[in-house]
Amino acid sequence: MLVRDAMSTVVLTIGPAHTLRQSARLMSARRVGAAVVLDEDSSGLGILTERDILNSLAHGQNPDSETASTHTTTDVVFAAPTWTLEEAASAMAHGGFRHLIVLDGSGPVGIVSVRDIIRCWAPARQQVPA
């Protein structure tokens, strides 16, 4: 099975000036665990995850004044839609993260998460005779 078969095509894109509270509200409304941060003035694409927001709150930072730019991961590993789920899982395990932005051409076309991979693998594993 390929990344394109498992990825979510709901890609929440936010700007670097979004506050963490705004970002969390948007992520919650769309029921996603990560947002693509598009900063055309500097690093291009980054990712802000629910873990980034949680870490900020745990450090006592104010979600109304902290911005996505401060908490965005810019050293991102990108997946291609044609990667296998094994390749995506390996990249996640090696990098210690739970989301991959899926790029096709010049922009993001999806996000694949550990949950997406498990969702795809679990039914396949149940069909294999013991």
Side-chain angles (χ1 to χ4, degrees), residues 28-106:
S28 178
R30 287 175 177 78
R31 300 180 53 128
V32 296
V36 174
V37 181
L38 179 57
D39 186 354
E40 296 177 1
D41 294 333
S42 65
S43 59
L45 292 179
I47 191 166
L48 178 74
T49 67
E50 56 200 358
R51 182 183 298 170
D52 298 323
I53 296 169
L54 183 65
N55 286 338
S56 174
L57 293 174
H59 286 95
Q61 297 173 334
N62 183 343
D64 293 312
S65 60
E66 290 294 313
T67 61
S69 65
T70 306
H71 300 278
T72 297
T73 300
T74 55
D75 185 19
V76 180
V77 175
F78 298 101
T82 56
W83 278 17
T84 65
L85 293 186
E86 288 81 5
E87 289 173 306
S90 177
M92 289 177 187
H94 180 73
F97 44 80
R98 298 178 294 164
H99 298 86
L100 287 169
I101 299 172
V102 183
L103 292 182
D104 191 10
S106 62

Side-chain angles (χ1 to χ4, degrees), residues 14-20 22 37 66-69:
I14 63 173
H18 277 80
T19 67
L20 292 187
Q22 291 169 327
V37 181
E66 290 294 313
T67 61
S69 65

Side-chain angles (χ1 to χ4, degrees), residues 1-7 79-85 88 100 102 112:
M1 188 170 278
L2 302 177
V3 165
R4 72 171 153 243
D5 302 319
M7 71 183 190
T82 56
W83 278 17
T84 65
L85 293 186
L100 287 169
V102 183
V112 65

Side-chain angles (χ1 to χ4, degrees), residues 9-30:
T9 56
V10 176
V11 180
L12 173 60
T13 303
I14 63 173
H18 277 80
T19 67
L20 292 187
R21 185 176 309 277
Q22 291 169 327
S23 302
R25 282 187 178 141
L26 291 168
M27 290 164 65
S28 178
R30 287 175 177 78

